[in-house]
Amino acid sequence: MSSSPGDRASAEPADGGAPVPDVVIEPDADRLARAAAEALVARLAAAQAVHGTASVVLTGGGIGIAVLERVAGLAAEPVRETVDWTAVDVWWGDERFVPADEAERNEKQARTALLDAVGVPPERVHAMPPSDGDFSEPEDAATWYADQLAAAAPEGQVLPRLDLLLLGMGPEGHTASIFPASPAVRDERTVVAVRNCPKPPPTRISLGFRAINSAEEVWLLVSGAGKAAAVARALAGADPQELPAAGVRGTRATRWLLDQAAAAELPRSQG
């Protein structure tokens, strides 16, 4: 493993620019999920030690939900760091604009995997609207979610403190619901409606780059050989319009948490 996901920050470049991404490689998806869960607990506990509260932006997908399931398991174990889940604000990086009870909703999966088990208060769970809720159009739902973010932000700002933002990545390099060459790649709003996605369901809501890149730490959780080429291209500096995952970064740290299969095409110096 190139470094521990529990480390507090990526290496800082000499010119004072954005932190250099930290690449962490685990042997397989199960070990990756376990290591990421332990690091997530440590990160939120550290944020609470400083601020009294913590904030996390969740992702869906197989590895993202596996991490949440392992976080729930850690809550019952005598781990070194503990999180006060009553003082954690939960947001989402993207959501499928489908009815609330659809199994493919990231919110529904996250509640089953973690949130219901650890008792995050309802007022701290900031879910993106479903298609059968108050908004029939995803554009209106996106505007509402942007307003929720702004309401939680310090006066004069449009985004709250986001301690940790989790993302996945598709084989073609999409992240959140920002797909290659889509209008969302160039959209400067904090939250955007996404239509005609190449991956079903076609209608979604997503944080834009502006919101994603405001987070203190951004972690990309990627597993599987089918994503190895996109991982290598992203870390080599691909154009974000062609490979959106290449355009995300935290203000304090950016981490690529990979299993061995997803890291297979990285240069030996990174792997």
Side-chain angles (χ1 to χ4, degrees):
M1 186 168 66
S2 64
S3 61
S4 167
D7 292 345
R8 292 296 304 278
S10 303
E12 294 289 345
D15 62 4
V20 175
D22 181 29
V23 179
V24 179
I25 303 171
E26 296 288 348
D28 53 47
D30 185 69
R31 291 278 295 275
L32 171 60
R34 175 75 185 200
E38 291 174 351
L40 185 152
V41 168
R43 180 67 185 93
L44 296 186
Q48 289 183 336
V50 174
H51 304 290
T53 63
S55 57
V56 62
V57 181
L58 301 183
T59 185
I63 191 67
I65 299 303
V67 169
L68 300 188
E69 290 172 343
R70 284 157 179 79
V71 171
L74 290 174
E77 295 182 12
V79 294
R80 182 175 56 193
E81 296 94 354
T82 58
V83 174
D84 176 4
W85 290 101
T86 67
V88 176
D89 280 289
V90 178
W91 304 86
W92 271 267
D94 73 325
E95 186 57 275
R96 289 80 181 266
F97 195 61
V98 295
D101 201 41
E102 288 285 337
E104 60 191 355
R105 268 185 64 86
N106 292 334
E107 176 203 358
K108 185 177 178 67
Q109 295 176 31
R111 287 185 182 278
T112 300
L114 174 65
L115 303 182
D116 291 346
V118 296
V120 179
E123 65 272 16
R124 289 190 177 273
V125 178
H126 308 282
M128 290 181 168
S131 63
D132 59 351
D134 294 334
F135 306 102
S136 60
E137 301 295 333
E139 289 81 7
D140 295 332
T143 297
W144 179 87
Y145 204 68
D147 289 343
Q148 297 304 298
L149 286 163
E155 185 174 355
Q157 300 185 32
V158 297
L159 291 163
R161 188 190 80 247
L162 301 174
D163 297 303
L164 174 60
L165 187 145
L166 305 177
L167 292 171
M169 187 193 72
E172 79 300 299
H174 89 264
T175 193
S177 282
I178 304 175
F179 287 81
S182 70
V185 174
R186 300 177 296 279
D187 201 310
E188 297 184 357
R189 290 173 294 181
T190 56
V191 188
V192 298
V194 182
R195 293 182 180 267
N196 303 313
C197 290
K199 177 181 178 181
T203 307
R204 304 174 179 216
I205 305 166
S206 181
L207 297 189
F209 281 136
R210 180 182 180 188
I212 290 171
N213 292 343
S214 76
E216 289 193 5
E217 297 195 17
V218 174
W219 297 359
L220 293 105
L221 309 168
V222 189
S223 68
K227 301 178 181 180
V231 167
R233 287 180 59 207
L235 284 167
D239 183 345
Q241 294 200 40
E242 298 177 2
L243 203 154
V248 302
R249 60 188 58 85
T251 62
R252 188 167 177 269
T254 307
R255 292 200 170 86
W256 286 75
L257 308 181
L258 314 171
D259 66 6
Q260 193 67 51
E265 296 192 26
L266 289 178
R268 195 171 291 272
S269 60
Q270 286 180 298

